[in-house]
Amino acid sequence: MSKKLRVVMAQLNLLVGDIQGNLQQHKQAAITARDTLKADVIVFPELSMTGYPPEDLLLRQSFLEECNLAINEFKASINGIHCVIGHPYAHSKGLYNSCSLIYNGTIVARYNKKYLPNYGVFDEQRYFVPGEPYGVALIHDIPVSIIICEDLWYAAPCHEAAAQGARIILSPNASPFEIDKDFQRKTVIGKRARENNIPIVYVNQIGCQDDLVFDGGSMVIDATGAVTQQAPFFNEALMPVEIEITSTESILTAAEINTTSDDEKIYEALVMSVRDYVKKNNFSGAILGVSGGIDSALVLAIAVDALGKDNVSAIIMPSRFTAEVSLTDAAALVKNLGVAHETISIEPVYTSFLTTLAPLFKDQQPDVTEENIQSRCRGVILMAISNRTGRIVLTCGNRSEMAVGYATLYGDMAGGFAVLKDIPKMLVYRLAAYRNERGEVIPEHIIERAPTAELAHDQKDQDLLPPYPILDKILALYLNQEQSTDQIVNQGFDREMLEKIIRWIHKNEYKRKQSPIGPRINHTAFGRDRRYPVTSGYKK
């Protein structure tokens, strides 16, 4: 005789620390899953009640107590459906990263995460102790095991669950977005399913939490390792899955799975990161300086897609070095996107600074000092408007510039959220082209024009930097793959140029430490992934 189990994957956008808000989302999702979707069980993401990652909030006793009260309130208010909820669980042995299976006011099973990630952006060993051996619970007489996130990436938990008779694995996750991460998940989880001949229901959260972006993509993988259903990326979803269990097999209904290109995923990650950062931190909107260049054009398009044109302001700030074509391109861009904009010349402020500093700088030729003053004039103007309007300043520097310090501290780096911080320059061009495929908003001339900071006459980025295709390849080898100077030279790159770039990377670590956070899209992003000392004698 076969049995059926209807599972709802609750792919939610939760807010770290908003326990009461998260509790209400849990309640509403459980009621919808029970009454509308006719589910037997709903599975929430990892640490769903606190949001992920709660970081040092976990060190506050009052925070843990409030979370415990929320779990008790949920238990008392939701009946008629099994609920898998993630939360911290305090025990005499320490604090566990736990999931509780709740049914009709009772915690019928609890799973404590064993493998605590402590690499890259993860720091779970700072807060949690490893969990105990794994177990199996019954949901309508079907043996089910709960396995949390990182534990899926090791063979033992799934093997133990299968050995104890589990017929389904329910897996709550908080897995951040990276390029190719969906492929990695499917590869690992598919292997676990095949090894143990058991289907896995993988539930991931969505949303932006500081620099981390969670993409969702919750899925069901059958016992052969094939993906049978997948929730959308970057959107909330309550997705029902029906599993039929016989004495010999588990049968899942397959559904069409939409494919999404890398560029689309990255673009949507940036859009969601801006939307969530602005809204979750209670800013009234966003502002940015628009120069007529490719970086600010892409950021403006992302901001409008994230917040709507009425919640975004563009400020055009020309100087004596601004070409007329830059003003023309900037005007066309803001018109295409329909955003309100102001043109504020920095010339009076810049001239005032030069006059003030003239006694100190007499008999000295202008250099990068005067260039940076222009950038800082713009930073002060943007921050003043931000203070007055309550809108956050979005900075526009890309990863290639941040790597080599081609940015002005307290100038174009001044702001609250660095949208392109993890986006190399050549990817900026790809994303601009992708956005125009959805409806042309970025003037083609902006994409085709040679990049320039326009802080001096006839200035081009390549006056100082190698061409961006070359620079990006070097940065990928040195930063992403951590190759040595000799290894990179052996691939045909000029040693003198390479050593100069590496000096720039190390010299400008202090700048990056002071830069705003921005969305992470790869595993070597500037921020939590890269913890290099500012003061260091190592320059290779």
Side-chain angles (χ1 to χ4, degrees):
M1 178 182 293
S2 66
K3 298 177 182 178
K4 291 185 178 180
L5 193 69
R6 192 168 176 82
V7 181
V8 164
M9 300 187 292
Q11 182 171 288
L12 301 181
N13 189 342
L14 302 158
L15 175 58
V16 166
D18 183 16
I19 293 175
Q20 287 304 309
N22 295 341
L23 171 61
Q24 295 310 312
Q25 285 200 64
H26 281 68
K27 287 182 180 180
Q28 186 57 57
I31 291 169
T32 300
R34 181 192 66 194
D35 298 346
T36 303
L37 301 177
K38 308 302 179 184
D40 300 300
V41 57
I42 182 170
V43 183
F44 294 93
E46 177 182 10
L47 288 179
S48 56
M49 194 61 78
T50 62
Y52 189 94
E55 299 187 285
D56 280 9
L57 291 174
L58 292 167
L59 303 179
R60 300 185 70 88
Q61 185 62 32
S62 59
F63 180 76
L64 298 176
E65 290 171 355
E66 184 177 345
C67 185
N68 191 51
L69 290 173
I71 293 294
N72 289 335
E73 182 177 335
F74 183 89
K75 284 194 304 181
S77 58
I78 301 297
N79 293 295
I81 183 171
H82 289 78
C83 303
V84 178
I85 296 180
H87 62 97
Y89 169 57
H91 188 273
S92 60
K93 294 181 179 180
L95 189 68
Y96 290 114
N97 180 341
S98 294
C99 270
S100 291
L101 175 60
I102 298 172
Y103 185 62
N104 288 347
T106 303
I107 295 178
V108 297
R110 180 180 287 118
Y111 181 93
N112 299 324
K113 186 175 182 181
K114 179 177 179 63
Y115 294 100
L116 304 173
N118 213 55
Y119 55 85
V121 301
F122 301 105
D123 200 14
E124 291 196 22
Q125 292 180 26
R126 177 178 172 88
Y127 311 105
F128 299 113
V129 295
E132 303 299 330
Y134 324 102
V136 170
L138 294 178
I139 299 178
H140 300 325
D141 296 324
I142 298 173
V144 171
S145 184
I146 300 169
I147 296 179
I148 303 173
C149 201
E150 188 80 3
D151 287 4
L152 273 182
W153 294 69
Y154 293 82
C158 289
H159 178 74
E160 181 68 19
Q164 294 189 30
R167 300 299 306 278
I168 303 169
I169 289 175
L170 305 178
S171 180
N173 292 263
S175 177
F177 171 75
E178 292 176 13
I179 302 172
D180 294 331
K181 190 62 173 289
D182 181 55
F183 173 78
Q184 295 172 33
R185 294 174 191 139
K186 288 173 179 173
T187 300
V188 171
I189 301 163
K191 182 180 180 181
R192 296 289 168 260
R194 287 192 304 274
E195 288 171 343
N196 299 284
N197 192 36
I198 190 169
I200 299 174
V201 178
Y202 177 98
V203 181
N204 193 25
Q205 69 179 40
I206 70 154
C208 174
Q209 174 58 34
D210 295 344
D211 55 339
L212 298 183
V213 180
F214 296 91
D215 55 331
S218 302
M219 59 187 145
V220 184
I221 292 185
D222 68 17
T224 71
V227 179
T228 61
Q229 296 183 53
Q230 186 161 27
F233 292 98
F234 306 108
N235 283 290
E236 289 191 303
L238 294 178
M239 187 169 178
V241 178
E242 194 158 285
I243 306 172
E244 183 177 357
I245 308 293
T246 72
S247 59
T248 58
E249 62 180 338
S250 301
I251 304 168
L252 295 97
T253 303
E256 182 179 357
I257 297 172
N258 295 323
T259 58
T260 307
S261 70
D262 284 346
D263 288 352
E264 181 179 354
K265 287 179 183 176
I266 294 167
Y267 190 85
E268 291 303 321
L270 299 180
V271 168
M272 188 176 68
S273 71
V274 171
R275 180 186 302 122
D276 273 15
Y277 197 81
V278 169
K279 292 187 175 181
K280 289 181 178 180
N281 288 291
N282 300 311
F283 289 99
S284 62
I287 61 170
L288 63 145
V290 172
S291 65
I294 184 73
D295 297 323
S296 62
L298 179 60
V299 172
L300 187 64
I302 290 167
V304 170
D305 288 342
L307 305 171
K309 62 183 179 65
D310 294 336
N311 298 309
V312 180
S313 302
I315 311 298
I316 302 170
M317 296 172 283
S319 75
R320 65 186 69 176
F321 302 116
T322 302
E324 189 63 35
V325 68
S326 297
L327 297 176
T328 301
D329 287 344
L333 174 71
V334 296
K335 181 180 179 181
N336 290 348
L337 288 166
V339 299
H341 68 282
E342 297 287 344
T343 299
I344 303 173
S345 173
I346 67 166
E347 196 60 33
V349 182
Y350 179 51
T351 300
S352 178
F353 270 115
L354 295 181
T355 300
T356 301
L357 293 168
L360 298 177
F361 294 169
K362 62 183 178 181
D363 302 325
Q364 299 181 44
Q365 290 299 312
D367 58 13
V368 70
T369 304
E370 284 75 13
E371 294 182 20
N372 287 341
I373 289 172
Q374 296 168 64
S375 183
R376 288 174 179 136
C377 289
R378 294 183 173 112
V380 169
I381 290 170
L382 289 172
M383 288 307 303
I385 297 171
S386 173
N387 290 160
R388 183 55 57 92
T389 63
R391 294 188 171 191
I392 190 173
V393 175
L394 302 179
T395 66
C396 302
N398 60 64
R399 176 179 169 89
S400 306
E401 295 169 343
M402 294 300 299
V404 297
Y406 195 61
T408 303
L409 198 58
Y410 321 123
D412 57 331
M413 291 174 64
F417 198 61
V419 182
L420 305 180
K421 186 173 183 177
D422 201 26
I423 307 296
K425 185 70 171 190
M426 298 312 297
L427 181 52
V428 170
Y429 285 103
R430 277 173 39 198
L431 294 178
Y434 164 77
R435 178 59 183 86
N436 275 359
E437 290 173 3
R438 292 172 38 176
E440 188 167 331
V441 293
I442 300 176
E444 195 64 28
H445 186 261
I446 289 179
I447 298 175
E448 294 174 350
R449 187 184 179 200
T452 171
E454 288 194 318
L455 299 174
H457 283 298
D458 299 322
Q459 186 181 52
K460 300 290 187 293
D461 289 4
Q462 286 182 209
D463 295 340
L464 177 65
L465 304 176
Y468 280 113
I470 295 175
L471 177 61
D472 280 358
K473 288 178 183 176
I474 290 173
L475 295 176
L477 294 171
Y478 187 75
L479 296 174
N480 294 41
Q481 299 180 32
E482 297 186 333
Q483 292 190 14
S484 69
T485 304
D486 289 342
Q487 287 175 310
I488 299 173
V489 168
N490 289 339
Q491 296 176 60
F493 293 95
D494 178 75
R495 180 178 291 275
E496 183 179 356
M497 175 187 67
L498 175 61
E499 289 178 344
K500 180 164 62 173
I501 291 170
I502 292 173
R503 285 197 302 272
W504 286 340
I505 290 171
H506 289 283
K507 179 181 179 181
N508 289 286
E509 195 69 48
Y510 82 102
K511 282 189 182 180
R512 291 189 292 271
K513 293 292 187 185
Q514 300 180 68
S515 67
I517 63 171
R520 168 189 182 271
I521 67 152
N522 76 79
H523 70 282
T524 55
F526 294 128
R528 309 180 201 219
D529 291 277
R530 179 183 165 85
R531 304 182 189 184
Y532 274 66
V534 172
T535 306
S536 170
Y538 189 82
K539 307 296 182 186
K540 297 180 182 179

